[in-house]
């Protein structure tokens, strides 16, 4: 009995594996876009969403839009440095991968945005009109990659609280059309890449040794330093729209509160050994 108990205590922490079916999720947005393309044109579906989105206020669309901004969502995940460091590592990996993919595709394709194709007076534009580098939607990509990485990095019994993040990611996609920044095709492409990159991030994060996801490890300390940089950006830079500023201050409070717990924890000696 004693030996068995000792063995259990010394065994490594169990890490959940990403299910095989999750690797096919990226197909869903593309399949949806194929169906939409059959029944309507890109311009028609863009104008339909853009014009009907006015039933909600700009503030609501700006709120959803922020979940596609890396600085904002990084701030909101700061508490994970204490609660579940491996999850924030997954989010960082996914963000780096999908961000690189987005930049390469934007520069390679160089697709025009709605404001450079349609008469700007024919649809609603919030903020400064954007005209280039349309495909894919980087905001949608960021929102889906984070939702996917966090969801599949957590154990199955703890995933339900993260499921709502996919609804927010969908809202981010609609927001990019609502503010006149992207075609629906850009949003679908962003969702697809985000889902795929999020799965990669979750998979790679599971392979990170336990000692590297302690609060006192160099990796989590580095992420903590990045959180402080994020705090600076949120307090000194307007993100996307002027309506974003109050939300930025709220996200900054999340970082400050997280650091109050993280800094004492990161000064403690490591307690986990692989």
């Amino acid at each position: 009995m004693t030996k068995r108990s000792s063995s259990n205590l010394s065994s490594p922490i169990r890490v959940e594996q990403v299910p095989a079916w999750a690797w096919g999720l990226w197909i869903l947005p593309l399949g949806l876009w194929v169906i939409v393309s059959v029944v309507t044109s890109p311009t028609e579906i863009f104008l339909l969403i853009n014009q009907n989105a006015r039933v909600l206020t700009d503030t609501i669309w700006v709120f959803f839009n922020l979940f596609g901004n890396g600085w904002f969502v990084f701030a909101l995940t700061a508490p994970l440095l204490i609660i579940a460091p491996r999850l924030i590592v997954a989010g960082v990996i996914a963000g780096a991968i999908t961000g690189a993919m987005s930049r390469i595709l934007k520069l390679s394709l160089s697709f025009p945005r709605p404001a450079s194709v349609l008469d700007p007076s024919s649809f609603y534009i919030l903020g400064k009109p954007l005209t280039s580098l349309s495909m894919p939607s980087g905001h949608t990509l960021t929102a889906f990659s984070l939702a996917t990485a966090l969801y599949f990095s957590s154990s199955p019994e703890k995933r339900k609280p993260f499921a709502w993040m996919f609804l927010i990611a969908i809202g981010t996609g609609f927001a990019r059309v609502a503010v006149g920044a992207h075609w629906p095709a850009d949003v679908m492409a962003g969702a697809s890449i985000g889902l795929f990159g999020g799965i990669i991030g979750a998979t790679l994060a599971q392979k990170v040794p336990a000692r590297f996801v302690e609060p006192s490890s160099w990796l989590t300390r580095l992420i903590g330093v990045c959180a402080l940089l994020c705090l600076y950006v949120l307090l000194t830079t307007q993100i996307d729209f002027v309506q974003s500023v109050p939300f930025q201050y709220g996200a900054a409070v999340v970082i400050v509160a997280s650091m109050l717990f993280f800094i004492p924890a990161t000064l403690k000696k490591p307690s986990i050994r692989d």
Side-chain angles (χ1 to χ4, degrees), residues 34-55:
V34 169
I35 296 173
V36 171
S37 299
V38 171
V39 299
T40 186
S41 69
T43 299
E44 289 175 338
I45 188 62
F46 168 77
L47 292 175
L48 177 67
I49 296 174
N50 179 266
Q51 293 168 359
N52 284 280
R54 305 277 60 78
V55 298

Side-chain angles (χ1 to χ4, degrees), residues 137-148:
S137 166
H139 282 71
T140 308
L141 176 150
T142 298
F144 272 94
S145 67
L146 180 65
T148 306

Side-chain angles (χ1 to χ4, degrees), residues 6-268:
S6 176
S7 174
N8 287 340
L9 289 173
S10 62
S11 61
I13 296 175
R14 177 169 165 265
V15 177
E16 297 294 338
Q17 298 298 313
V18 175
W21 58 264
W23 288 94
L25 288 176
W26 65 274
I27 300 176
L28 296 179
L30 298 184
L32 178 60
W33 178 244
V34 169
I35 296 173
V36 171
S37 299
V38 171
V39 299
T40 186
S41 69
T43 299
E44 289 175 338
I45 188 62
F46 168 77
L47 292 175
L48 177 67
I49 296 174
N50 179 266
Q51 293 168 359
N52 284 280
R54 305 277 60 78
V55 298
L56 299 179
T57 66
D58 286 345
T59 301
I60 293 177
W61 290 122
V62 167
F63 175 73
F64 279 111
N65 179 85
L66 278 170
F67 282 90
N69 183 280
W71 295 113
F72 184 78
V73 294
F74 183 69
L76 296 187
T77 58
L80 294 176
L81 280 168
I82 297 296
I83 302 171
R86 191 179 297 275
L87 269 65
I88 197 170
V89 170
V92 170
I93 294 174
I97 292 174
T98 54
M101 293 173 66
S102 174
R103 196 61 186 169
I104 292 172
L105 286 173
K106 281 180 178 291
L107 294 175
S108 300
L109 299 175
S110 193
F111 282 1
R113 293 187 188 240
S116 65
V117 176
L118 306 176
D119 179 357
S121 64
S122 67
F123 64 97
Y124 183 76
I125 299 176
L126 179 63
K128 181 181 178 180
L130 302 175
T131 59
S132 61
L133 303 181
S134 187
M135 172 74 77
S137 166
H139 282 71
T140 308
L141 176 150
T142 298
F144 272 94
S145 67
L146 180 65
T148 306
L150 295 186
Y151 183 84
F152 288 105
S153 293
S154 57
S155 57
E157 65 274 10
K158 296 180 180 179
R159 286 175 181 167
K160 286 185 178 180
F162 293 106
W164 59 268
M165 292 188 64
F166 287 100
L167 296 178
I168 291 181
I170 292 172
T172 301
F174 274 106
R176 297 308 287 163
V177 180
V179 300
H182 278 289
W183 303 100
D186 303 335
V187 170
M188 296 296 182
S192 182
I193 297 171
L195 287 166
F196 188 72
I199 291 296
I200 295 177
T203 301
L204 294 179
Q206 308 300 3
K207 300 181 183 300
V208 175
R211 66 179 180 275
F212 291 137
V213 291
E214 282 193 319
S216 57
S217 74
W218 66 266
L219 180 58
T220 51
R221 284 175 175 173
L222 177 60
I223 295 175
V225 171
C226 292
L228 294 176
L229 173 61
C230 180
L231 175 63
Y232 173 79
V233 172
L234 290 172
L235 293 177
T236 60
T237 306
Q238 177 186 304
I239 296 177
D240 293 334
F241 308 106
V242 66
Q243 296 93 332
S244 302
V245 175
F247 297 117
Q248 291 179 218
Y249 291 158
V253 171
V254 174
I255 293 181
V256 172
S258 300
M259 290 299 103
L260 291 177
F261 290 94
F262 176 71
I263 292 175
T266 194
L267 296 177
K268 295 181 180 179

